[in-house]
Amino acid sequence: MEVESNLKKVLMNGHFAVTAECGPPKGADPDVIQKKGNILKGYVDSVNVTDNQTGVVRLCSLAACAILKREGLDPVLQMVTRDRNRIALQSDVLGASALGIRNILCLSGDHQSFGNQREAKGVFDIDSIQLIQTVRSMRDEGKVIGGDVLIQPPDLFIGTTENPFADPFQYRVLRLEKKIMAGAEFIQTQCIYNIARFKEWMKQVQDRGIDKKVYILGGITPMKSASMAQYMNTKVAGMDIPDHMIMRMKSVAAKNQREEGIKIAIETIEVLKEIKGIQGIHIMAIEWEEIVPRLVEEAGLYPRPAV
Amino acid sequence: MITAERKPITEIEAMLNPFRRILVVGCGTCVAECAAGGEKEVALLSSALRMDARLKGRKIEVGEVTIDRQCVYEFINELTGFVDHYDAILSLGCGAGVQAVAGLFPKMPVLPGLNTKFIGETKETGLWIENCRACGDCKLGYFAGVCPLTRCAKGLLNGPCGGSKNGVCETNPDTPCAWQMIIDRLEGRGQIDLLQTIFPPVDWSKYEGKGPRKIEREDQRSGS
């Protein structure tokens, strides 16, 4: 039976897409993935599985995707170039397709110096843009790097990320354009808290007509507490949480901060729905997957379209 | 230059422990420039070794010599005969120097006194920065004279990652983001469009090839 990417179908049919992130456990227990998958099932179109995020050893993304697939979800395989060379990456791309995984997110990955294997050798044989190009060429031309022909090309909907809050700001949109040139079909952005800057970035995206060439999903991470907001802002690479947002979290009693975080997330989703060129959201509820159904419902995005 | 740093004295002493007569050999080129293995450092280390041995009641003899280049046989040859008096050589050369000296005196234990670090430039007095990985296929012409392979922590060739903030790298606030430098320079020249071409995967065979690399020049061989 032909397996298709649910995410691709949702987007191609013009629906506002909802994806969510699922972090694999620091252990070999498949039930953790299954449970997280079942919480998200029906509330999201696809589920991203992180690839040893922040350089911490976890159950591998490919295996976790296979488990989610078995549970009837549409997984998005996150693949970083930090840990594997081009031989391993291309081999995993073929393996993913063979397992019925239909979405891939190409990333360079957090630097190994952040994780629990700080003495590891960072591979970075190719970069994320070269990975996008590689997967695209494997799929569309049936060729691996160097031109060798594949007997059966992989079938994958190709995505990547962009961080509108990183520097140099004036170059971010040009870099996004480069990712599309390489073959990216959907983009999931870094968590959005600084809406003013996000809108400024989207204006550049629209001015260059980029939103017509790629599906853009805005990143949402509900904050659990004011201290999490502060921690993310100072300690997590690539994050931008404006002071007024942190103040707002601090202004409510500790026991009500989760609710405030949820409120902010829903307000942000409402703002994103109104921005031209945004075709969906990507919820990264870090170790808080159980909140996703509520966010989706309260943001008026439930039920998900059957495509 | 090839930069290096002296090993901790305790590590050096542990290596030298079995030997009584030690020749400390400096190198007058790269490691002298980065103040790790030149004549001055040879003198300082030798005094430290002597003093420490005296304090511990050990009898040692430490000889000192610095040659122009430890990586070129004609200079290492100056040590011939001279070394016979000693039980071991402590080389303050880079890794290439240690190996060349060891190659010429195969019966003599030749020990490294330095940790070789990188190919770099003297940025300021007392500050050396890494800026060349010797990839074997120089791409600096495409990147406004800043090597992203070396100076970007992820070696990215197609623009900055999402961790570039306020001009610095996500891995270390003391490290400037190589991509911020490249973009600033190209923008200053009105050439930012140069970056819109996708740079293909690196040919690492020029770097790692089939193991250790060599350069063979017939024109140089025949003339000698």
Side-chain angles (χ1 to χ4, degrees):
Chain A
M1 195 186 75
E2 185 85 351
V3 191
E4 278 188 276
S5 157
N6 187 58
L7 177 60
K8 184 179 171 183
K9 284 191 286 180
V10 166
L11 288 165
M12 285 182 78
N13 284 309
H15 299 290
F16 192 82
V18 179
T19 58
E21 184 175 284
C22 163
K26 289 184 192 175
D29 186 1
D31 293 348
V32 178
I33 310 281
Q34 248 163 349
K35 270 188 205 138
K36 285 186 175 185
N38 284 315
I39 290 168
L40 299 170
K41 200 170 176 179
Y43 289 93
V44 298
D45 305 313
S46 295
V47 179
N48 280 54
V49 182
T50 49
D51 183 4
N52 297 300
Q53 197 173 13
T54 67
V56 172
V57 177
R58 290 172 182 276
L59 191 149
C60 81
S61 178
L62 187 55
C65 281
I67 293 167
L68 290 175
K69 182 82 204 167
R70 207 170 59 198
E71 294 298 303
L73 288 109
D74 181 43
V76 179
L77 175 75
Q78 295 200 181
M79 191 180 262
V80 303
T81 63
R82 177 194 60 221
D83 307 324
R84 279 160 293 178
N85 71 7
R86 65 190 78 179
I87 302 170
L89 291 168
Q90 293 178 103
S91 163
D92 283 355
V93 164
L94 297 176
S97 185
L99 288 167
I101 294 159
R102 288 291 172 264
N103 312 287
I104 186 169
L105 196 78
C106 304
L107 311 161
S108 53
D110 298 310
H111 196 264
Q112 65 276 7
S113 60
F114 289 109
N116 64 0
Q117 306 292 314
R118 295 180 183 198
E119 285 111 29
K121 183 177 195 304
V123 177
F124 301 111
D125 175 17
I126 60 174
D127 64 28
S128 58
I129 290 185
Q130 291 160 349
L131 179 61
I132 296 166
Q133 202 172 34
T134 301
V135 180
R136 189 70 190 247
S137 151
M138 289 171 81
R139 186 190 75 189
D140 293 354
E141 293 162 42
K143 285 178 184 169
V144 293
I145 295 174
D148 234 17
V149 177
L150 295 164
I151 297 166
Q152 168 83 43
D155 181 9
L156 290 157
F157 188 42
I158 305 164
T160 187
T161 53
E162 183 49 51
N163 183 3
F165 312 104
D167 287 330
F169 185 54
Q170 76 279 15
Y171 187 68
R172 300 316 306 186
V173 170
L174 290 174
R175 177 153 159 86
L176 175 61
E177 212 162 38
K178 211 167 162 179
K179 289 175 176 172
I180 296 159
M181 257 173 8
E185 296 161 306
F186 71 95
I187 304 291
Q188 292 170 324
T189 76
Q190 176 65 287
C191 321
I192 303 160
Y193 300 104
N194 187 343
I195 289 171
R197 173 139 165 176
F198 185 75
K199 283 182 168 169
E200 210 182 314
W201 177 77
M202 274 307 291
K203 167 111 192 8
Q204 295 178 33
V205 167
Q206 292 154 6
D207 288 349
R208 295 183 77 95
I210 297 173
D211 54 325
K212 305 258 186 326
K213 298 181 198 157
V214 73
Y215 299 107
I216 302 173
L217 280 63
I220 298 287
T221 292
M223 293 179 282
K224 280 180 174 168
S225 64
S227 56
M228 172 185 172
Q230 241 163 349
Y231 176 84
M232 287 204 302
N233 198 37
T234 52
K235 294 277 183 328
V236 180
M239 281 286 179
D240 177 5
I241 309 179
D243 290 343
H244 68 85
M245 205 62 105
I246 296 170
M247 288 310 290
R248 181 172 161 187
M249 286 298 285
K250 276 186 182 165
S251 71
V252 298
K255 64 176 170 44
N256 298 327
Q257 286 179 353
R258 279 185 177 228
E259 276 307 309
E260 198 62 24
I262 293 166
K263 231 157 100 183
I264 292 171
I266 293 167
E267 286 170 21
T268 311
I269 297 171
E270 294 301 339
V271 171
L272 292 177
K273 281 191 200 165
E274 299 307 314
I275 298 177
K276 195 176 140 264
I278 294 292
Q279 287 101 341
I281 51 163
H282 175 51
I283 306 169
M284 293 162 273
I286 301 151
E287 291 304 314
W288 197 16
E289 284 86 353
E290 61 275 18
I291 200 63
V292 173
R294 187 179 149 194
L295 282 179
V296 175
E297 275 187 295
E298 290 187 17
L301 295 167
Y302 184 79
R304 301 305 311 143
V307 286
Chain B
M1 99 200 76
I2 293 165
T3 62
E5 277 182 314
R6 208 198 67 204
K7 282 181 178 287
I9 190 97
T10 47
E11 188 184 340
I12 293 176
E13 281 176 344
M15 277 192 297
L16 294 177
N17 202 39
F19 309 106
R20 204 179 66 75
R21 285 173 300 189
I22 299 141
L23 180 62
V24 180
V25 182
C27 177
T29 308
C30 307
V31 293
E33 175 59 34
C34 65
E39 204 168 358
K40 197 171 143 198
E41 291 74 34
V42 167
L44 283 169
L45 178 63
S46 299
S47 313
L49 290 172
R50 286 185 202 109
M51 192 183 304
D52 222 61
R54 202 172 321 137
L55 288 173
K56 287 177 182 152
R58 283 193 65 222
K59 264 193 117 132
I60 61 167
E61 184 188 333
V62 182
E64 302 173 27
V65 63
T66 297
I67 56 178
D68 280 352
R69 275 170 223 148
Q70 279 191 31
C71 55
V72 179
Y73 282 143
E74 63 179 282
F75 296 106
I76 309 169
N77 257 331
E78 293 168 15
L79 301 175
T80 306
F82 187 59
V83 298
D84 298 343
H85 176 68
Y86 296 91
D87 305 326
I89 290 176
L90 180 71
S91 161
L92 294 195
C94 71
V98 176
Q99 292 182 59
V101 172
L104 209 65
F105 305 109
K107 287 188 180 152
M108 175 76 75
V110 179
L111 304 163
L114 305 182
N115 289 321
T116 307
K117 305 291 278 197
F118 50 78
I119 301 177
E121 73 179 54
T122 310
K123 187 78 185 162
E124 299 159 14
T125 310
L127 174 65
W128 294 271
I129 60 160
E130 179 173 23
N131 53 16
C132 178
R133 282 270 154 89
C135 73
D137 187 18
C138 193
K139 301 157 183 59
L140 284 167
Y142 300 102
F143 301 114
V146 176
C147 177
L149 223 51
T150 311
R151 298 174 75 177
C152 163
K154 298 178 186 173
L156 304 180
L157 292 178
N158 283 294
C161 77
S164 173
K165 196 77 190 164
N166 300 322
V168 298
C169 175
E170 67 175 24
T171 61
N172 185 351
D174 294 333
T175 306
C177 169
W179 275 101
Q180 178 82 54
M181 287 192 274
I182 294 167
I183 288 162
D184 286 348
R185 274 192 203 170
L186 288 176
E187 258 189 344
R189 298 182 198 164
Q191 289 182 312
I192 197 81
D193 285 350
L194 286 181
L195 295 179
Q196 287 316 89
T197 311
I198 295 169
F199 209 91
V202 172
D203 178 359
W204 291 114
S205 73
K206 290 173 177 158
Y207 180 67
E208 295 179 322
K210 295 174 182 171
R213 295 173 285 180
K214 62 180 173 187
I215 299 170
E216 237 173 337
R217 293 257 314 263
E218 281 310 320
D219 59 329
Q220 294 294 305
R221 285 168 174 255
S222 53
S224 63

